[in-house]
Amino acid sequence: MQDNDFKNVLNSRIAETERILKANLPEENKYSKTVRDAMEYSLTAGGKRLRPLFMQAAYELFSCGDNVTIGYELSAFMSAIEYIHTYSLVHDDLPAMDNDEYRRGRLTTWKVYGDGMGVLAGDALLNYAFEMTSKAALRAIENKDPDMAERCIRASMVLSDKAGIYGMIGGQCADICAEGKGSNVSKEELLFIHEHKTGCLIEAALMVGGILGGAGKEDVDKLEKIGSDIGMAFQIRDDILDVIGNTEELGKKVGSDEANQKTTYVTLNGLENSQKEVERVSYEALTLLDELPGDKAFLNSLTKMLIGRTK
Ligand code: GRG
């Protein structure tokens, strides 16, 4: 895909994703308005929307090719994964975790609404994500589409598995436990943290897209491996950006890993080798992507864009 074509498609997909994310938010209620506002605040603060974009692109590989209309089920799951991702950031920024005041260039949710409301907004986003995926399954049953209902249930299982104790929460736990160890964190431990905290949700995005689109087990396994590689490249690049990045562009402080004497891929392997690893695992993902059906041009360009990302 030509650079300009890719940028145009990317921008229009981000705009459509943002429309869906907002449209799918829960109704307002006067007594729970504050938490609803905090959910919306955290969700509409920008962000790259990578997980829904990856999900949509994987879905398209197995349905009718490029630019498929986003139907009810895909819209529900694209929203659910971004709600889960947003909840994880809202909770990660809390005083009890990273105590961060800025994210995506704006004050963090707890800084605006208070830490109690920050906890609740994260909880509400997580609960609401699975309300959406359950509704999608129920609607398919009511529409007498057992095949789609089964896909929704399988996709929901993957999402809960990858976001929970076996996935992102497990990774966050390992990360918190490693904090006290300063620079005495082993490479094995660090890879576990990266794979789980960052990789699992990217794996889920691709797997859910594939499952909803009708992919068989073998292809879903390949999507999982591709997600794992992209997640690893993404996180190593994140470690690099914490050293060479620009606060304005990133929308958050840089240099925090060094200030916290944190072990990162960069502290273990140096900047140059870290970027080489970003490229190696990204190309591994691209090679595996070639084995999947459908038009891979958008997924290919999206993965390549992340190799040198600056935000
Ligand atoms: C609190 C359960 C719980 C988990 C938190 C995601 C996470 C785990 C912590 C956030 C801190 C961090 C550096 C995570 C690594 C993953 C990562 C780079 C997240 C940011 O994802 P982007 O860059 O964010 O896609 P945007 O803002 O673009 O949506």
Side-chain angles (χ1 to χ4, degrees):
M1 200 180 238
Q2 295 290 319
D3 232 30
N4 266 350
D5 292 343
F6 170 67
K7 278 188 190 134
N8 289 338
V9 177
L10 179 67
N11 288 335
S12 86
R13 287 184 180 211
I14 292 175
E16 176 64 357
T17 302
E18 299 204 323
R19 191 195 61 73
I20 290 171
L21 292 175
K22 223 170 155 187
N24 280 340
L25 273 170
E27 307 262 300
E28 281 196 20
N29 172 294
K30 83 175 163 184
Y31 296 111
S32 55
K33 185 178 179 323
T34 312
V35 75
R36 165 71 171 68
D37 287 350
M39 287 165 85
E40 182 161 354
Y41 174 82
S42 60
L43 199 70
T44 52
K48 296 179 283 301
R49 313 305 187 191
L50 286 175
R51 293 146 191 86
L53 289 173
F54 272 121
M55 188 183 286
Q56 180 189 5
Y59 176 86
E60 285 170 355
L61 296 182
F62 299 91
S63 40
C64 316
D66 208 18
N67 273 327
V68 178
T69 337
I70 300 177
Y72 184 91
E73 295 81 14
L74 183 58
S75 150
F77 278 88
M78 283 170 67
S79 304
I81 201 158
E82 190 68 7
Y83 295 164
I84 293 172
H85 167 61
T86 304
Y87 117 76
S88 79
L89 300 181
V90 170
H91 279 189
D92 191 63
D93 291 333
L94 285 167
M97 291 213 191
D98 277 5
N99 195 18
D100 278 323
E101 300 189 350
Y102 285 93
R103 155 101 44 202
R104 296 163 166 174
R106 296 209 307 187
L107 283 174
T108 46
T109 307
W110 74 268
K111 274 302 274 183
V112 175
Y113 292 90
D115 43 357
M117 215 43 84
V119 172
L120 283 184
D123 292 343
L125 283 164
L126 175 59
N127 269 286
Y128 191 66
F130 287 105
E131 183 179 325
M132 298 232 38
T133 66
S134 309
K135 267 192 193 151
L138 197 58
R139 184 175 176 273
I141 292 170
E142 283 164 2
N143 288 342
K144 307 215 177 332
D145 187 349
D147 182 37
M148 182 50 84
E150 186 182 332
R151 290 183 196 182
C152 288
I153 292 165
R154 285 191 190 287
S156 208
M157 282 293 297
V158 167
L159 194 55
S160 56
D161 177 81
K162 297 287 180 187
I165 180 122
Y166 312 114
M168 182 179 70
I169 290 182
Q172 179 75 350
C173 166
D175 195 23
I176 290 178
C177 293
E179 258 166 36
K181 295 186 184 173
S183 55
N184 287 327
V185 176
S186 66
K187 186 163 180 181
E188 184 196 342
E189 214 170 340
L190 185 74
L191 292 182
F192 178 93
I193 295 169
H194 284 4
E195 269 167 32
H196 289 78
K197 184 170 129 172
T198 312
C200 279
L201 224 48
I202 296 177
E203 290 167 26
L206 291 171
M207 292 167 81
V208 165
I211 292 169
L212 293 178
K217 184 178 175 334
E218 208 179 300
D219 285 339
V220 174
D221 288 348
K222 282 184 187 159
L223 287 166
E224 183 173 27
K225 174 74 182 109
I226 294 169
S228 167
D229 283 341
I230 294 175
M232 187 56 72
F234 187 78
Q235 182 58 58
I236 299 173
R237 185 72 193 160
D238 210 62
D239 290 351
I240 294 172
L241 287 176
D242 194 66
V243 180
I244 64 163
N246 174 297
T247 300
E248 216 169 291
E249 210 172 348
L250 283 168
K252 60 175 187 181
K253 303 193 293 262
V254 292
S256 59
D257 292 336
E258 194 187 2
N260 298 327
Q261 292 180 313
K262 213 171 163 177
T263 303
T264 69
Y265 206 88
V266 175
T267 61
L268 287 179
N269 302 288
L271 270 174
E272 203 178 316
N273 285 336
S274 298
Q275 185 57 27
K276 278 192 188 141
E277 185 62 4
V278 171
E279 285 160 29
R280 191 190 69 76
V281 281
S282 298
Y283 283 103
E284 195 171 280
L286 292 171
T287 307
L288 204 51
L289 184 60
D290 256 348
E291 295 178 18
L292 293 176
D295 180 354
K296 275 95 59 178
F298 180 78
L299 257 179
N300 208 295
S301 299
L302 187 61
T303 307
K304 283 185 183 154
M305 177 192 88
L306 295 179
I307 297 176
R309 73 184 172 98
T310 50
K311 61 179 188 174

